[in-house]
Amino acid sequence: MPQNPEKIQDHVELFHQPEYQQLFQNKKEFENGHDPEEVKRVAEWTKSWEYREKNFAREALTVNPAKGCQPLGAIFAAVGFEGTLPFVQGSQGCVAYFRTHLTRHYKEPFSGVSSSMTEDAAVFGGLQNMIDGLANSYQLYKPKMIAVCTTCMAEVIGDDLQAFIGNAKNAGSVPQDFPVPFAHTPSFVGSHITGYDNMMKGILSNLTAGKKKETSNGKINFIPGFDTYVGNNREIKRMCNLMGIDYTILADNSDYLDSPNTGEFDMYPGGTPLEEAADSINAKATVALQAHSTPKTRDYIAKEWKQEVTVSRPWGIKGTDEFLMKLSELTGKPIPEELEIERGRAVDAMTDSHAWVHGKRFAIYGDPDLVYSVVGFMLEMGAEPVHILVHNSNEEFAKELQELLDSSPNGKSATLWAGKDMWHMRSLMCLLSG
C-alpha cells in the first residue's frame, strides 16, 4: 500500500492510488456500481439550482457541520490552566476524537483522559468509573488540577458530576482540597463554543471560591474565548506589557498548543498559574475577546464577582482601536507611541493592498465571533461579503452581524445562513457566480 511512514499521502491523493482504484472497481461488482457517465451527470446536477432547493429543504440530516461538540471546547479551555489534565466522563472513543482533532490541528501532543464508560456504566451509571479514573489520573499523570466534562452517554443517563466528584474524593481518589472543577457538556446541544463557556465558568467558580478580598488587585482579566490562533494571546500580552498593564489571561493555552521543541517532553507546558486564576476574582475588570463563547462566564463574573465586564474584539483597525482605548480607559494608562506607529504601518499595508481586495466578493463560514471580526476587517478593506454561514448562530449574533453589514455600503448584498452546514455552503458556492 502507498500509505507508509516514508510516503504519507493526503486522503484525497491516497484514494487515487492504483490499489484503492482497484478496490473501488471490485466493490462495484457487488454494490450495483453506477455507470461513470451517470455519476458525472449526477455530480453536475448537484451544482444546479434545482438541487440547491432540495439541499436547503432537508431537515433531518446534517452533512459536515461547521462546528464541533461541547467537550471539544471544554478541554480546549481546560489546558489553558497550569498543570491541568482534561478528564472526560464518557467512553474512550469520544475523547480519542477530541485529542486527535486538536493534536492534528496543532501538531502538538494533546493530553486528555476518559473514564472509559462502557455498556455496564450506561446501565448502572458511571460513578465507579469516576472513582477509578480520578485515582489513576492523579497517580499516573501528577496534574495540579483535573477538569471534568461529560459526553452524550453520561448526560443521557444523568450522571451527577458534583456528587460523583464528592464521592470520589471521599473514596480517596484525590485529596479533598485537590481542585476538580467540572462542567456538564452534552454534545447534543450547543457546540464547542458552548462547551468552552461552560468549562471556563466551572473552572473559575471552583478556583475562586472563598478568595474574594475587600480590595482589588488592580489587574485586568482577559478571556480569549475559543480562539484557535494562540498567537493572539501572546499579542495581547505584548500590548499590555507595552502599556504597563498588570493582567491575567483566563486561560492562556498559547504555550500548551505551541510549545518549544527543547528535546524534553513536558506534559503541561505553560498555562495560567492556578494562584493567579484564583485571584482573578479580585481584578479591576474583565475583558472578553469573544462574546458568543463567553456569555455564561461573563454573566457569572458580573453577578458574583461584581466586576465590570466588557467585550472587545481587537480585529482590524476599528476593533483594535476600540480595544486599546478601552484598556486606556480602564487603567488610566496612555497608549504608547510604539503601538501608534504599528497602527500607522497597518493602515499603510491596508492602503497598499486595497486595490487587490476592494470590490472582491467573498463567502465565509465559521464561529460567530471569528466571522464577525473577519467580516468587519474585510469591510474595512472594501470587500463585499455575499454568503456568511454560521452553523452555531443565534438571534443575538444575527442582529449584531446585520448592524455591522448595515454600517457599510459593501455589506448590502450579504446573507447570513444560520444553522446551515458545509453541504449547504457547497450549493451556495456552486451558484455564487450566478
Side-chain angles (χ1 to χ4, degrees):
M1 299 294 288
Q3 190 76 321
N4 60 68
E6 285 72 40
K7 188 179 180 182
I8 300 296
Q9 298 279 357
D10 176 80
H11 68 283
V12 176
E13 294 297 327
L14 179 66
F15 294 142
H16 281 87
Q17 299 302 310
E19 292 89 341
Y20 281 97
Q21 290 300 305
Q22 185 61 51
L23 177 66
F24 298 149
Q25 190 63 36
N26 294 341
K27 289 179 66 176
K28 289 182 180 180
E29 298 179 12
F30 303 97
E31 298 179 0
N32 300 316
H34 296 288
D35 181 78
E37 290 300 318
E38 175 65 8
V39 173
K40 183 178 180 181
R41 184 194 68 81
V42 173
E44 288 301 314
W45 173 67
T46 62
K47 302 175 185 178
S48 67
W49 184 268
E50 179 187 12
Y51 181 82
R52 175 197 184 280
E53 293 296 280
K54 291 180 178 294
N55 189 12
F56 275 78
R58 60 184 162 92
E59 297 179 355
L61 175 68
T62 296
V63 183
N64 193 9
K67 65 174 183 177
C69 57
Q70 282 206 50
L72 178 69
I75 65 175
F76 181 85
V79 298
F81 293 91
E82 174 192 21
T84 298
L85 179 66
F87 182 107
V88 183
Q89 175 76 345
S91 66
Q92 288 182 338
C94 291
V95 72
Y97 278 117
F98 308 143
R99 284 199 310 257
T100 300
H101 182 81
L102 292 166
T103 296
R104 293 184 67 178
H105 179 79
Y106 288 103
K107 304 298 187 291
E108 299 279 355
F110 193 101
S111 300
V113 298
S114 80
S115 57
S116 301
M117 292 173 63
T118 52
E119 289 84 352
D120 57 342
V123 176
F124 301 108
L127 174 57
Q128 191 58 48
N129 297 70
M130 174 73 72
I131 293 173
D132 295 339
L134 287 180
N136 291 337
S137 300
Y138 181 73
Q139 293 295 330
L140 288 173
Y141 304 117
K142 305 294 188 295
K144 294 185 177 180
M145 180 169 74
I146 298 176
V148 180
C149 63
T150 54
T151 63
C152 297
M153 180 193 294
E155 289 296 324
V156 169
I157 64 178
D159 281 359
D160 184 339
L161 291 185
Q162 184 173 11
F164 280 18
I165 292 169
N167 288 334
K169 286 188 173 183
N170 291 336
S173 296
V174 296
Q176 287 289 344
D177 60 350
F178 185 81
V180 187
F182 66 89
H184 285 275
T185 53
S187 297
F188 42 80
V189 295
S191 69
H192 56 284
I193 62 174
T194 317
Y196 179 96
D197 191 23
N198 287 333
M199 180 55 82
M200 188 62 65
K201 178 186 174 185
I203 290 175
L204 293 180
S205 60
N206 179 283
L207 293 178
T208 62
K211 300 297 176 63
K212 184 68 174 179
K213 298 178 181 178
E214 294 296 326
T215 58
S216 168
N217 60 25
K219 292 184 175 182
I220 304 295
N221 297 325
F222 294 100
I223 305 177
F226 193 93
D227 184 355
T228 56
Y229 182 60
V230 295
N232 286 334
N233 290 355
R234 296 189 178 119
E235 183 62 14
I236 294 297
K237 290 186 284 187
R238 188 185 71 89
M239 288 181 172
C240 288
N241 290 335
L242 287 173
M243 293 182 68
I245 296 174
D246 204 1
Y247 60 88
T248 301
I249 305 290
L250 301 170
D252 187 5
N253 53 20
S254 56
D255 286 338
Y256 188 96
L257 299 170
D258 185 26
S259 59
N261 190 339
T262 63
E264 296 182 5
F265 175 69
D266 182 359
M267 190 168 181
Y268 308 107
T272 302
L274 299 187
E275 289 185 4
E276 290 188 18
D279 195 38
S280 62
I281 191 174
N282 299 306
K284 185 176 183 179
T286 295
V287 179
L289 305 183
Q290 291 187 356
H292 302 283
S293 63
T294 60
K296 293 179 182 178
T297 305
R298 288 186 286 115
D299 184 66
Y300 167 77
I301 292 174
K303 292 180 178 179
E304 300 298 326
W305 296 5
K306 310 299 182 185
Q307 278 185 21
E308 178 179 350
V309 182
T310 186
V311 175
S312 186
R313 304 180 181 96
W315 277 72
I317 297 300
K318 181 175 183 291
T320 306
D321 283 352
E322 292 175 349
F323 172 72
L324 292 174
M325 288 189 289
K326 185 62 179 180
L327 291 188
S328 182
E329 175 190 330
L330 289 172
T331 64
K333 304 279 188 179
I335 299 173
E337 182 181 6
E338 182 173 344
L339 291 179
E340 292 184 6
I341 293 173
E342 289 179 5
R343 180 189 189 279
R345 191 173 293 118
V347 171
D348 182 65
M350 292 170 65
T351 304
D352 292 344
S353 57
H354 186 263
W356 284 272
V357 181
H358 178 78
K360 296 296 188 296
R361 304 166 73 217
F362 70 94
I364 185 174
Y365 72 91
D367 292 339
D369 289 284
L370 177 64
V371 165
Y372 180 91
S373 299
V374 175
V375 169
F377 175 69
M378 294 300 287
L379 288 174
E380 290 180 355
M381 294 292 292
E384 301 176 9
V386 179
H387 297 305
I388 302 172
L389 188 146
V390 180
H391 198 144
N392 44 1
S393 180
N394 54 52
E395 293 183 3
E396 182 182 352
F397 170 72
K399 180 180 179 182
E400 184 182 35
L401 180 67
Q402 191 59 53
E403 291 176 354
L404 174 65
L405 296 171
D406 292 341
S407 69
S408 169
N410 292 335
K412 61 184 179 181
S413 300
T415 301
L416 169 64
W417 301 97
K420 303 303 181 183
D421 57 43
M422 295 305 295
W423 197 247
H424 292 113
M425 177 63 94
R426 180 184 183 274
S427 284
L428 294 173
M429 296 304 295
C430 287
L431 297 164
L432 185 59
S433 60

